[in-house]
Amino acid sequence: MEKSFEPAQIESTWYARWEASGAFKPSGKGEPYCILLPPPNVTGTLHMGHAFQQTVMDMLVRYQRMRGMNTLWQVGTDHAGIATQKIVENQLAVEEKTRHDLGRDAFVERVWQWKEESGSTITNQMRRIGAAADWSRERFTMDEGLSAAVRKVFIDWYRAGLIYRGNRLVNWDPLLGTAVSDLEVNNVERDGHLWSIRYPVTGSDESLVVATTRPETMLGDVAVAVHPEDERYAHLLGKTLTLPLSGRQIPVIADDYVDREFGTGCVKITPAHDFNDYAIGQRHQLAAITIFTLDAKVNDNAPEKYRGLDRYDARKLVLADLDALGLLVETKAHKLQVPVSQRSDAVIEPMLTDQWFVDLTSDKGRKAITEPALDAVRSGEIRFVPENWSTTYTQWLDNIQDWCISRQLWWGHRIPAWYDEAGNIFVGEDEADARVHATTEPVGALRQDDDVLDTWFSSALWPFSTLGWPADGPVKNERGEVVANWEQDKIFLPSAVLVTGFDIIFFWVARMVMATKYFTGRIPFREVYINAIVRDAEGQKMSKSKGNTLDPLDLIDGIALEPLVEKSTKSLLIPQVRAKVEKRIRKDYPDGIPAIGTDALRFTFAALASYSRTINFDIKRAEGYKAFCNKLWNAARFVLMNGGDSGFEIRDSAKPATEAERWILTRLSQTLAEVEQHFVSYRFDHLAQALYEFVWNEYCDWFLELSKPALNGGDAEAAASTRHTLLVVLEAVLRALHPVIPFITEEIWKEVSPRLGLAEASVYARPYPLAADFAADDAATAEIEWFKNVLSGVRRIRSEMNIPPGKTIPLLLADGDDGDRTRAAKFATQIAFLARTETPQWIEAGAGEPAAAAAVVGTLRVLIPLAGLIDLGAEKARLAKEIARIEGEIRKCEGKLGNASFVANAPADVVAQERQRIAEWSTQLTALREQVGKLATAP
């Protein structure tokens, strides 16, 4: 092995070997275990959220593969309708062209060309993270197999009466000219105004005052609503108001939606341009008046003087006219949430348009689609982790709206519907199929719908379409390679677990359950693990405009300061923002970002993966896990250098010759039992902590030290046995760590495996170590824990009193019991060797005792005489500090035991453990106070 661990030298080599060997393909043996990759946008690049989520998935896949499962990590990318079309339109803009200059077919061909050239960026980056994905089965939501599934689902649902075309209110992006989903809308806080406007009561001197942040929409008002129990306006119910500027008569209505305590308690109702108003309009059967064109200009439904104006220019003129009429009562500053398109930054306009919808709310739709999806979770067939997210899921489905599935784009799955000259709709695989299934004779020529389906429509089919549904035989990709076969691959449905973020529970998780239940009768997955959102070290959302984003590849490879500054600011167009980001980066990373390697990054993610809603990523913590990798590397070098050409077999059954060996095997067994439970419960943070503590503290810090007396002693049997155990435990540790840190474990394992006669080509091909594989020896563990406590006490005194580590010092033992004397005799040589002391000497009861620094192990006092070594005052101060610490521990225990709820509800063994801790701490406290008393009388 090389002297130092250099991640860059091994990562690319090992990944290429794994992929080339087919290590990530289903083995065909064992129970099926499948994980679906949430398909990233084909336009995307790997960000911290991807890296975190994919690390979790990779840990699970590698772990289950090593447990003998027939694993499949199904991967692929999403065609990302809006994002991809926008990229190619931007390219055309540079050429001073639009998509309309090319025409639809040529434009779509241009998008496919871009996809072939640039669409594999994120999948190549996934390889850098170490993703154990079966790339031979990679899918794309626009590939022919998945497109066939999309057409079948649309057609079947339409023919079952579950898809319809209707005029409904949607989020409209006036710049892109398409409907968008809620997930593609950001609510951004902006400074605005709240305008109060007077609406005269028809035929009366009275008036109502309404407040609005969008006065231009009053041109489409159809009513003013008040609360039905608001006595101030009860006499006006049923009367009409004269709508300012338009002169139309609009009614005063009563609706529970109105908050009578907010503002004046009067709300203007504009059903065509507000979602809440639309719901009120439906309840009261009010007409909806659209006042904007699809590019957000005032249309012909408004008074003539406003027609053709942009909505914001119309706002200025409306306010001026209201002011001139004396109807503008008040203008005040107001912070408001503005819906902004993620893709274009345009302000979203709620708009009544003709769209396609999936029926989820009628009796028929709820029974066929919505209720089965609800029952799957309520029955426990699908389990959320953490469990509280199941409430989020069910609440949304209980209050679901019909799903708008059409988008006004060219890139995507074109809706398989045609119109005749009379406006009749015909649906089919193609025009011929649509005619065959026509229930009426088409009038004239047929024209295909120009719209495409929502990207989430094809993603909803991901659990079964990627496995080959609905094809009768093998499904091939564009290179003629088989990527799926439904008859064979449906064993992977349901998949074991879906790893995803809480923000797409509605948009993806629920819809996968709906579609999979309807078309296959199965659930898509058994469990849903909701991973946390990655934030920066201070808990702030990562944002390019804040300068706090991190590129996972920069953490893996490292990046110098100047390239980091350039990379982080090149897309920022506002000079002030650019300057602020540059200042922050130069402050936070004065020397750039050091390379930590993939394994250290993965271990950091594992250590952070709790049940929290968010996690804070601190690069300093990642650097700490690089130190862990270095420690593992150096420990392996020590073991290999001291192992000799032993020719061991890993199954050598001879009982370990030393108690230290039996102790480390016991602790390994206990750690593996913990790890198994943490994998089951998805507590990757606890899993990482258990492995870290065992490797760093017990194997590297303790067992390697405890092995030295045997390795350097005269007992050949103990030396040989210890060498074997060092290798056996190291090999098991490499297997246990492999799902978390695959590269370094593979590199070390190839050096260790020949020493143990292992024939497998990879640590990934070895079984995951189990607690039962290693015998526990409680007696040996008790002996070694005593020895560790004595050694730790001596080392703590040496450290705190600044005694040179190489100086041999006297060591005295006092008090204790017969067990302490037996152990002291047995470990005398090891204590002297490892603690750099003279042979321990006992102070008999009643004999004089020199002034000494003390450590307490049970009732035993471990003493280092002060004479010539330690300052008496410093030792008194040290003891006072240790007494204070132990008193604090006792208070913690007493606090728990004094809590009636804890005693009543905690498991009995946990309560008993707290009582035992108090007893042990109290024994130590008594001994330390006695030692203070002895020092008080020392000369």
Side-chain angles (χ1 to χ4, degrees):
M1 286 177 65
E2 297 293 331
K3 286 187 176 181
S4 60
F5 170 52
E6 299 296 339
Q9 295 178 10
I10 67 172
E11 288 174 4
S12 59
T13 302
W14 275 116
Y15 196 90
R17 287 187 197 175
W18 291 329
E19 188 173 355
S21 70
F24 303 148
K25 294 182 179 181
S27 65
K29 302 173 184 176
E31 291 296 313
Y33 181 94
C34 179
I35 288 184
L36 303 166
L37 174 76
N41 286 351
V42 70
T43 58
T45 56
L46 196 77
H47 56 59
M48 291 294 281
H50 289 135
F52 172 54
Q53 188 180 76
Q54 290 166 17
T55 295
V56 168
M57 286 184 271
D58 192 61
M59 286 192 293
L60 289 167
V61 168
R62 287 177 184 269
Y63 171 67
Q64 297 294 348
R65 177 82 167 214
M66 294 175 76
R67 290 185 67 236
M69 304 291 269
N70 183 22
T71 56
L72 168 63
W73 187 0
Q74 178 62 58
V75 293
T77 50
D78 189 281
H79 64 278
I82 294 175
T84 308
Q85 177 161 318
K86 192 167 186 290
I87 284 175
V88 178
E89 287 197 88
N90 288 344
Q91 290 179 345
L92 290 173
V94 173
E95 303 170 17
E96 298 184 347
K97 295 179 181 176
T98 70
R99 60 186 162 113
H100 300 285
D101 294 325
L102 270 66
R104 183 167 192 146
D105 291 344
F107 177 78
V108 170
E109 182 60 34
R110 177 75 175 257
V111 181
W112 275 108
Q113 180 184 339
W114 174 89
K115 190 264 180 185
E116 292 306 310
E117 294 171 355
S118 306
S120 59
T121 298
I122 195 164
T123 54
N124 289 331
Q125 291 171 332
M126 282 181 64
R127 290 170 166 87
R128 294 294 312 278
I129 291 293
D134 185 359
W135 296 107
S136 71
R137 301 173 58 104
E138 181 182 353
R139 306 303 299 271
F140 178 55
T141 50
M142 285 280 286
D143 71 31
E144 182 47 47
L146 300 193
S147 296
V150 166
R151 290 193 299 273
K152 178 171 176 56
V153 167
F154 183 94
I155 293 165
D156 284 6
W157 267 347
Y158 177 81
R159 290 175 180 166
L162 296 169
I163 282 181
Y164 66 91
R165 184 167 171 80
N167 190 258
R168 301 280 295 274
L169 200 65
V170 297
N171 292 312
W172 184 262
D173 184 323
L175 191 60
L176 295 177
T178 181
V180 295
S181 72
D182 289 346
L183 194 64
E184 293 159 326
V185 177
N186 293 328
N187 287 306
V188 180
E189 184 177 84
R190 290 186 177 172
D191 291 326
H193 293 88
L194 188 66
W195 290 278
S196 294
I197 303 168
R198 189 178 307 281
Y199 284 45
V201 176
T202 305
S204 166
D205 292 335
E206 286 189 88
S207 62
L208 293 181
V209 175
V210 301
T212 181
T213 58
R214 303 182 67 209
E216 66 279 9
T217 63
M218 69 181 295
L219 301 174
D221 284 358
V222 296
V224 168
V226 298
H227 194 278
E229 297 175 4
D230 194 332
E231 296 178 357
R232 294 174 295 175
Y233 306 116
H235 66 290
L236 295 177
L237 292 176
K239 295 188 177 181
T240 61
L241 308 174
T242 300
L243 181 64
L245 309 182
S246 297
R248 284 189 288 107
Q249 302 300 301
I250 61 174
V252 178
I253 63 173
D255 196 280
D256 289 333
Y257 167 77
V258 178
D259 180 359
R260 52 186 162 178
E261 305 301 325
F262 181 78
T264 61
C266 302
V267 178
K268 60 188 284 299
I269 306 301
T270 319
H273 297 288
D274 183 277
F275 286 98
N276 292 318
D277 292 3
Y278 181 79
I280 293 172
Q282 294 286 97
R283 286 197 292 272
H284 294 270
Q285 298 181 322
L286 299 171
I289 301 175
T290 299
I291 60 161
F292 294 128
T293 60
L294 295 179
D295 56 354
K297 292 182 170 58
V298 179
N299 68 15
D300 290 348
N301 289 330
E304 186 174 355
K305 69 181 298 186
Y306 305 108
R307 295 173 188 171
L309 292 176
D310 174 82
R311 54 185 163 170
Y312 297 115
D313 292 332
R315 174 180 296 180
K316 295 175 185 176
L317 186 55
V318 164
L319 288 170
D321 289 347
L322 288 170
D323 193 31
L325 293 169
L327 298 175
L328 186 59
V329 177
E330 183 183 29
T331 301
K332 61 181 180 181
H334 182 71
K335 286 195 179 294
L336 61 156
Q337 296 292 318
V338 178
V340 176
S341 170
Q342 271 187 0
R343 302 302 179 189
S344 70
D345 287 332
V347 174
I348 293 296
E349 187 63 57
M351 194 79 75
L352 274 173
T353 57
D354 291 324
Q355 303 287 348
W356 289 90
F357 294 88
V358 177
D359 175 12
L360 303 174
T361 56
S362 74
D363 289 344
K364 184 176 186 178
R366 288 197 69 85
K367 183 177 179 180
I369 302 177
T370 308
E371 290 297 338
L374 269 167
D375 292 342
V377 171
R378 285 176 172 161
S379 68
E381 201 177 3
I382 296 175
R383 185 175 77 95
F384 277 82
V385 181
E387 195 278 331
N388 61 286
W389 290 110
S390 63
T391 303
T392 303
Y393 173 95
T394 55
Q395 284 179 345
W396 184 71
L397 282 175
D398 278 334
N399 299 282
I400 199 168
Q401 300 296 313
D402 288 353
W403 174 16
C404 176
I405 57 172
S406 48
R407 298 291 182 265
Q408 290 63 54
L409 303 169
W410 284 0
W411 172 244
H413 297 100
R414 193 167 180 181
I415 290 175
W418 284 259
Y419 304 92
D420 67 7
E421 293 175 7
N424 297 310
I425 298 174
F426 304 87
V427 169
E429 283 282 344
D430 50 29
E431 183 177 337
D433 185 55
R435 286 181 179 274
V436 167
H437 287 87
T439 55
T440 60
E441 184 67 25
V443 178
L446 295 185
R447 171 184 59 83
Q448 188 173 359
D449 195 310
D450 286 327
D451 290 355
V452 299
L453 287 163
D454 176 15
T455 298
W456 294 103
F457 190 88
S458 51
S459 296
L461 319 185
W462 193 249
F464 55 100
S465 63
T466 53
L467 300 177
W469 184 94
D472 292 330
V475 175
K476 297 181 180 180
N477 61 19
E478 67 277 9
R479 296 182 297 278
E481 300 159 340
V482 175
V483 291
N485 186 328
W486 175 243
E487 280 307 309
Q488 297 174 10
D489 295 340
K490 62 186 176 184
I491 62 170
F492 294 110
L493 185 73
S495 62
V497 59
L498 177 71
V499 179
T500 190
F502 62 79
D503 52 338
I504 55 174
I505 289 175
F506 316 137
F507 300 98
W508 192 45
V509 178
R511 289 166 179 169
M512 283 192 287
V513 181
M514 292 175 184
T516 309
K517 286 285 288 182
Y518 185 94
F519 287 99
T520 73
R522 305 184 187 187
I523 54 172
F525 26 73
R526 295 186 183 91
E527 294 182 309
V528 182
Y529 171 69
I530 300 296
N531 61 259
I533 302 299
V534 182
R535 296 188 180 274
D536 71 8
E538 286 77 43
Q540 297 296 310
K541 184 178 179 180
M542 290 190 176
S543 164
K544 289 182 180 180
S545 63
K546 291 180 181 177
N548 63 346
T549 58
L550 287 169
D551 182 337
L553 298 187
D554 289 343
L555 292 167
I556 292 170
D557 299 330
I559 184 170
L561 176 61
E562 295 308 322
L564 178 61
V565 169
E566 180 183 359
K567 176 179 184 176
S568 302
T569 58
K570 67 180 180 181
S571 63
L572 302 175
L573 302 179
I574 302 173
Q576 298 93 321
V577 174
R578 186 185 181 97
K580 181 183 74 173
V581 168
E582 179 172 350
K583 182 179 179 181
R584 175 169 183 160
I585 289 171
R586 291 187 182 279
K587 175 178 174 290
D588 290 350
Y589 309 108
D591 301 314
I593 296 176
I596 62 168
T598 300
D599 286 322
L601 179 61
R602 287 172 60 113
F603 208 116
T604 308
F605 284 137
L608 291 171
S610 66
Y611 284 176
S612 299
R613 191 171 177 137
T614 60
I615 60 172
N616 298 349
F617 186 91
D618 188 342
I619 195 169
K620 293 184 178 63
R621 190 163 181 183
E623 291 169 356
Y625 291 118
K626 183 182 181 184
F628 173 84
C629 292
N630 288 331
K631 183 137 183 162
L632 177 63
W633 184 269
N634 292 332
R637 292 188 72 243
F638 171 86
V639 171
L640 293 169
M641 285 190 295
N642 286 277
D645 297 322
S646 48
F648 293 124
E649 291 291 332
I650 197 161
R651 295 176 183 84
D652 284 353
S653 58
K655 185 177 181 179
T658 68
E659 287 178 320
E661 295 170 74
R662 297 196 289 277
W663 163 77
I664 195 65
L665 290 168
T666 300
R667 285 297 301 122
L668 175 60
S669 178
Q670 293 167 345
T671 300
L672 291 172
E674 291 179 44
V675 166
E676 183 176 359
Q677 288 304 309
H678 297 325
F679 264 119
V680 169
S681 62
Y682 302 101
R683 286 309 300 258
F684 304 105
D685 53 338
H686 293 170
L687 179 154
Q689 186 64 23
L691 289 170
Y692 182 97
E693 289 181 356
F694 177 81
V695 173
W696 186 290
N697 298 331
E698 294 176 307
Y699 185 72
C700 296
D701 281 357
W702 278 109
F703 185 57
L704 265 58
E705 283 297 301
L706 295 176
S707 71
K708 290 175 183 177
L711 295 174
N712 297 320
D715 186 335
E717 181 187 355
S721 179
T722 297
R723 289 190 183 98
H724 179 247
T725 301
L726 280 166
L727 284 165
V728 166
V729 176
L730 176 59
E731 196 273 341
V733 161
L734 295 174
R735 285 186 282 147
L737 283 168
H738 181 74
V740 185
I741 47 175
F743 294 106
I744 187 173
T745 50
E746 189 73 278
E747 181 70 13
I748 296 173
W749 189 87
K750 77 177 174 63
E751 303 292 337
V752 172
S753 58
R755 306 290 185 97
L756 291 168
L758 297 171
E760 291 91 345
S762 165
V763 66
Y764 191 34
R766 291 278 292 143
Y768 198 83
L770 302 174
D773 297 342
F774 304 94
D777 188 330
D778 293 340
T781 298
E783 297 296 292
I784 295 299
E785 290 298 335
W786 180 92
F787 176 48
K788 284 173 57 188
N789 289 334
V790 169
L791 208 55
S792 296
V794 174
R795 287 175 169 174
R796 186 164 57 250
I797 293 171
R798 294 190 77 128
S799 173
E800 293 175 357
M801 296 294 106
N802 295 314
I803 299 173
K807 184 179 181 64
T808 301
I809 58 175
L811 181 64
L812 303 176
L813 303 175
D815 303 333
D817 56 23
D818 291 343
D820 291 319
R821 287 180 177 268
T822 301
R823 288 166 170 166
K826 179 167 61 178
F827 291 115
T829 302
Q830 290 96 321
I831 291 172
F833 180 84
L834 294 174
R836 292 293 181 93
T837 69
E838 298 171 0
T839 302
Q841 301 295 320
W842 282 92
I843 299 174
E844 299 303 330
E849 183 178 312
V856 177
V857 179
T859 59
L860 174 69
R861 287 184 300 124
V862 181
L863 306 171
I864 297 177
L866 301 179
L869 292 175
I870 300 171
D871 176 78
L872 180 60
E875 173 58 6
K876 288 179 179 178
R878 189 187 72 82
L879 287 174
K881 183 178 178 182
E882 181 67 2
I883 286 170
R885 183 183 73 83
I886 291 176
E887 288 174 337
E889 295 291 347
I890 291 173
R891 283 194 296 273
K892 286 181 190 175
C893 294
E894 289 175 339
K896 289 183 180 180
L897 293 173
N899 183 333
S901 176
F902 172 80
V903 175
N905 298 316
D909 59 336
V910 173
V911 176
Q913 184 182 44
E914 289 300 316
R915 291 188 171 126
Q916 179 63 28
R917 290 184 69 200
I918 283 187
E920 291 172 357
W921 288 126
S922 299
T923 299
Q924 287 193 44
L925 185 61
T926 299
L928 287 170
R929 285 173 174 166
E930 288 175 358
Q931 183 65 17
V932 170
K934 288 183 171 65
L935 289 182
T937 61

